[in-house]
Amino acid sequence: MHYAYYKNSATHNTITVNQTNQPPAVPMVHHYYESDAFCWLDTGVDWRQIPPVLDSHTRVQWDSEAWRDVRFRRRLLWLDNAIIDISNVQNPHSQQIDWTLHLQGKALDSEGECAQFSSQGPLVIMKDARCVQLTNSQPRHFATPHNGQALWLYGHAELWQGNAPDNPAVQDLSYLVLRNKEQSSQFICVWDFDHQQPITDMHVTPDSNGMTIQLRRGERTVLVDLCEEYAVLPQLKTSHIPF
């Protein structure tokens, strides 16, 4: 299973195009910032750029044509009780984009009709696959060895869930995949680490310069203003007025 499953982009926490491997590229760190309030990381990779020179013995196991002109920006905002993971994908040729996350835990609230996740590629072996349309913001919960894990998801995509082998393959991982063919996509995943006062609602409001993410915990709401410009840091505000 080394080349057939494990050594593939589709079985990692990243994006894939048509279930193929990412071609070689040079990623960039646009901004890194750390303070007592939060940690911020803004990264990107652009497959329009000239790829790095590789050793002549490198096994070519990617599809450069599928990834032609794709751009991927990923931003992480680490708060004291949550991580906000924001992925933006520019996909000018309308290929199938899969944003993949796998967890060592059991899915507790997967929804949708049973379907085949893929007819080719490394995740053709996914079991118990279900698909539902992701609309607005939706939570998903997983039973894990340490208190469980709650995620909040946002994006215009199909939401797939299923099971595929862990490493080693003596048990399964829970897979969660957001999929679409849009030319411009934004996927948001919020990891909630506060088990005493969990997130009860999430709203995302796009605007011309970025977006505002509102996370509600009981009667307290945290507002995160995000700008598309690389140099501008997130702005945080806490309100006790429910949205």
Side-chain angles (χ1 to χ4, degrees), residues 77-84 190-193 199 215 217:
L77 176 61
W78 193 332
L79 307 174
D80 61 346
N81 56 4
I83 293 177
I84 303 177
V190 177
W191 295 68
D192 185 8
F193 300 125
I199 296 171
L215 302 176
R217 299 183 184 276

Side-chain angles (χ1 to χ4, degrees), residues 4 8 10-11 16-20 63 66 95-96 98 116-126 179:
N8 287 273
T11 59
T16 56
V17 176
N18 301 337
Q19 284 286 295
T20 64
D63 185 344
Q95 304 295 317
Q96 176 182 288
D98 287 351
Q116 183 180 17
F117 177 76
S118 180
S119 61
Q120 60 183 2
L123 286 177
V124 70
I125 64 173
M126 183 183 287
R179 170 180 289 175

Side-chain angles (χ1 to χ4, degrees), residues 5-34:
Y5 177 73
Y6 291 110
K7 199 171 183 180
N8 287 273
S9 300
T11 59
H12 289 75
N13 299 320
T14 184
I15 66 165
T16 56
V17 176
N18 301 337
Q19 284 286 295
T20 64
N21 290 329
Q22 295 179 0
V26 180
M28 299 290 294
V29 175
H30 301 302
H31 199 165
Y32 178 79
Y33 173 84
E34 186 174 353

Side-chain angles (χ1 to χ4, degrees), residues 79 213-216 220-224 236-239:
L79 307 174
I213 300 174
Q214 297 172 301
L215 302 176
R216 179 173 177 175
R220 183 169 63 94
T221 301
V222 175
L223 290 87
V224 181
L236 305 181
K237 183 171 67 175
T238 300
S239 169

Side-chain angles (χ1 to χ4, degrees), residues 33 38 49-50 82 104 119 124 154 156 158-159 166 188 226:
Y33 173 84
F38 62 84
Q49 304 300 316
I50 297 174
Q104 290 182 320
S119 61
V124 70
Y154 171 87
H156 186 264
E158 295 175 347
L159 169 54
D166 196 353
I188 300 175
L226 296 171

